[in-house]
Amino acid sequence: MLKEDASTFDFWFNNNEFDEHDQFGSNYYVNTFYKDIVFNLDIPKEGYIVVAGTARGVSFDLLCEKYGRDRCIGFDLFNPSNHSNIRIKNCYELGEKDNIPIAFAHNDIGSMVHTPDLKIHTHKWFINNAVPGGIILGNNNLNRAKFKFQDIMSENNFTNYQFVDLPNNLTKNLPYSRIEGYMYSRKNEST
């Protein structure tokens, strides 16, 4: 279950705790993730581009512009921007009935501080839906809940790429605190 306070609109959109994230606006670090890192990855041509935790839809819209709106699906409890590609959904409810082929996914739902179980559940759903060569972007093992994301990805036939190991030209616009805690994982072509 979501913590009571973490399931309200005000918690996510009227909370000064998220000022450091520009309230998920144009200076949110995820915008840099997408422009500098994701846009330089070889993402499979088949499958959807999926974001769990679209917030205000600013970062998500960058993906829509780059990969096409017909390919992009976002999930969140709220859709304050009324973005046509964002589906209002509690990601705890993601299951087999929601399965789709995923070429790229970003697990930006909630946080490891406020909603670790939700984040883990969503990650597992992404794992089960990734196409061969598909990429999942998310936390590594340095997360606050100490969940072993690197291990679960390896156990499910993914190769992990730590942001700290990426070429400097891909990470130069990010603070080290964001680089050290993130990775992307690519599903291996063979099973």
Side-chain angles (χ1 to χ4, degrees), residues 39-54:
F39 290 179
N40 288 294
L41 298 176
D42 183 22
I43 292 174
K45 302 286 185 229
E46 301 299 320
Y48 289 96
I49 308 297
V50 182
V51 175
T54 52

Side-chain angles (χ1 to χ4, degrees), residues 58-119:
V58 175
S59 301
F60 177 66
D61 207 50
L62 294 173
L63 297 173
C64 292
E65 290 173 16
K66 172 79 173 174
Y67 299 105
R69 294 189 184 282
D70 59 326
R71 257 190 109 182
C72 295
I73 299 170
F75 295 110
D76 208 309
L77 281 175
F78 307 100
N79 184 4
S81 63
N82 292 315
H83 196 292
S84 60
N85 291 66
I86 296 174
R87 298 177 184 174
I88 295 175
K89 186 169 188 76
N90 182 337
C91 286
Y92 270 124
E93 298 170 0
L94 287 171
E96 285 187 30
K97 68 183 181 326
D98 303 297
N99 286 352
I100 52 174
I102 295 176
F104 170 82
H106 179 200
N107 188 355
D108 204 24
I109 196 78
S111 74
M112 291 308 287
V113 173
H114 301 294
T115 57
D117 293 338
L118 173 64
K119 202 157 188 77

